[in-house]
Amino acid sequence: MASISSLFTSLSSSFLFLFSFATSQSILLPTDRSNQAQNCPSSSSEPLSYNYPVIGIVTHPGDGASGRLSNATNASYIAASYVKFIEAAGARVVPIVYNEPEEIIAEKLKLVNGVIFTGGSAKTGPYFERIKNVFQIILDRNDEGEHFPLLAICLGFELVTKAVSKDNNILERFSAKNQASILQFVDNAATNISIFQRFSPQLIEKLSTDCLAMQNHIFGISPQRLQTNDALSNFFRILTTTPDKDGKIYVSSVQAYNYPVTALQWHPEKNVFEWGVSAIPHSEDAILVSQAVGNYFISEARKSSTRPSMKKVLDNLIYNYAPRFSGAVGSGFDEVYLFQ
Ligand SMILES: *[C@@H]1O[C@H](CO)[C@@H](O)[C@H](O)[C@H]1NC(C)=O
Ligand SMILES: *[C@@H]1O[C@H](CO)[C@@H](O)[C@H](O)[C@H]1NC(C)=O
Ligand SMILES: *[C@@H]1O[C@H](CO)[C@@H](O)[C@H](O)[C@H]1NC(C)=O
């Protein structure tokens, strides 16, 4: 009975609400709406929040499938998970094909509001040279006053660590292949800056108990080594650390002090978009982690003052390429974009 009477109360209050609404403001039929101005200004009018952000993703050598898709010596790829991760946060992608001529890469970088360095294995050679060169362009643009963010993931973290320290032997070995892990905050303030701003307090708590961060690396850097390297410790603030399979602690997330540069040893894109390895966490919390990182990074890209020609953007978008389904051949990625 109680529930019926409370149902009645709520029905009658909604009826009263409708009634008072109808008397104070006559009900509009769809055809009457035309002279009611829809006052939603175009989202591009806010100068400091550009709502058409485009992200450059640097391709990685190879086909991403150990020769199952292509053996072309100049082939390079982007795992589609990075692309979808960016798209899901409200941005589009321009591939930066690492082995294209420097002038073309410079032109493409003028079309983008932020850059991603992906995971992978190429630690030396032309790829590392290209990453260093693009990293310098990113720093220069920030020094010139543009807010131009970088998200460096896994191998990207390692290469940026090498580039900042100018020490090709700075990395150490860790045992963290295909392992979901926790993230330990080095101090509470770390939750207030960088990607972790977008995490709810509950999710921040869970990061230190639940394995929500996907790791897949055999190199890394310990907090001690980072802190005792002047170049690195002046450049990066350590946000989180993580124990590897042997309990050895490595740095898992860093944020530059003076640049919108975030580097993660872990893979935010995999939780949502990669299914080939059973260790990848896909729980609702794991998905929230991915989305919070994507949303943070694109919020940084919206602050960039680059306003490229839309025609040039369209000509260079990743939509000019079709992803290939590579999950069925067990390549490690579900889909890849190939450039060759
Ligand atoms: C690449 O080379 C390997 C080894 O020779 C071969 O098994 C594979 O089929 C080749 N891949 C393609 C796409 O042709
Ligand atoms: C984080 O920011 C909030 C809101 O600005 C503040 O109340 C809190 O003290 C900060 N926490 C730390 C650890 O700095
Ligand atoms: C790769 O090599 C092929 C054949 O030599 C060439 O047509 C293509 O443009 C090259 N692609 C890249 C990305 O360098």
Side-chain angles (χ1 to χ4, degrees):
M1 280 314 278
S3 66
I4 289 181
S5 75
S6 67
L7 175 66
F8 180 76
T9 314
S10 83
L11 276 178
S12 58
S13 64
S14 8
F15 184 78
L16 275 178
F17 170 75
L18 277 178
F19 183 74
S20 55
F21 181 75
T23 51
S24 65
Q25 200 185 343
S26 61
I27 291 172
L28 288 176
L29 296 172
T31 49
D32 298 329
R33 286 182 188 275
S34 54
N35 55 6
Q36 290 271 312
Q38 280 282 311
N39 199 11
C40 302
S42 156
S43 56
S44 62
S45 59
E46 261 185 89
L48 288 176
S49 182
Y50 179 57
N51 288 333
Y52 301 86
V54 177
I55 302 300
I57 303 184
V58 182
T59 70
H60 181 281
D63 69 345
S66 310
R68 293 180 185 94
L69 299 177
S70 167
N71 289 311
T73 52
N74 66 355
S76 67
Y77 75 96
I78 298 173
S81 47
Y82 294 98
V83 177
K84 291 182 268 195
F85 167 70
I86 289 307
E87 290 173 350
R92 291 172 296 170
V93 168
V94 163
I96 309 291
V97 181
Y98 90 96
N99 51 358
E100 281 185 330
E102 191 159 355
E103 314 80 71
I104 293 182
I105 290 185
E107 282 304 307
K108 287 186 179 175
L109 287 172
K110 289 183 189 154
L111 304 177
V112 302
N113 305 96
V115 174
I116 283 193
F117 294 161
T118 69
S121 55
K123 288 192 172 48
T124 55
Y127 180 68
F128 181 42
E129 294 309 310
R130 177 63 69 210
I131 290 292
K132 281 193 285 191
N133 161 246
V134 174
F135 184 56
Q136 192 56 53
I137 292 172
I138 292 167
L139 298 185
D140 291 347
R141 269 166 72 164
N142 280 287
D143 288 341
E144 287 156 15
E146 180 181 357
H147 191 87
F148 190 59
L150 169 69
L151 180 61
I153 296 173
C154 199
L155 174 67
F157 173 108
E158 295 166 14
L159 297 186
V160 165
T161 300
K162 284 172 68 169
V164 170
S165 65
K166 297 193 169 62
D167 177 355
N168 286 339
N169 299 312
I170 191 83
L171 299 175
E172 300 156 273
R173 287 230 166 223
F174 288 92
S175 178
K177 251 190 123 37
N178 285 329
Q179 180 192 33
S181 78
I182 58 168
L183 301 178
Q184 299 167 315
F185 287 94
V186 296
D187 63 64
N188 288 334
T191 61
N192 265 2
I193 58 168
S194 182
I195 51 172
F196 298 109
Q197 285 169 25
R198 288 293 190 283
F199 287 53
S200 68
Q202 294 83 350
L203 199 55
I204 292 279
E205 289 249 348
K206 285 179 180 169
L207 284 175
S208 62
T209 52
D210 298 5
C211 293
L212 300 175
M214 183 61 189
Q215 311 283 350
N216 189 19
H217 53 101
I218 53 172
F219 290 96
I221 186 165
S222 61
Q224 294 76 7
R225 190 175 276 202
L226 191 152
Q227 295 294 20
T228 53
N229 181 285
D230 283 347
L232 280 174
S233 62
N234 288 328
F235 192 87
F236 279 126
R237 167 188 188 138
I238 300 177
L239 302 176
T240 70
T241 59
T242 294
D244 76 356
K245 291 177 186 174
D246 304 322
K248 260 175 77 184
I249 305 290
Y250 58 87
V251 176
S252 44
S253 317
V254 294
Q255 165 70 45
Y257 286 105
N258 299 316
Y259 293 93
V261 170
T262 306
L264 308 176
Q265 185 72 82
W266 48 288
H267 286 271
E269 79 292 350
K270 285 191 195 287
N271 293 4
V272 200
F273 296 115
E274 295 290 0
W275 299 89
V277 172
S278 61
I280 299 171
H282 295 292
S283 65
E284 183 171 349
D285 286 332
I287 302 307
L288 289 173
V289 167
S290 289
Q291 292 170 339
V293 176
N295 290 342
Y296 168 79
F297 180 57
I298 299 307
S299 76
E300 289 292 292
R302 289 193 187 98
K303 297 177 194 165
S304 143
S305 51
T306 290
R307 299 289 180 273
S309 122
M310 276 301 156
K311 167 80 175 92
K312 281 190 188 162
V313 168
L314 293 180
D315 288 346
N316 289 281
L317 281 179
I318 199 147
Y319 304 138
N320 291 288
Y321 304 84
R324 301 266 301 267
F325 175 40
S326 50
V329 295
S331 75
F333 299 112
D334 283 287
E335 291 185 285
V336 297
Y337 286 91
L338 262 188
F339 306 87
Q340 58 185 353

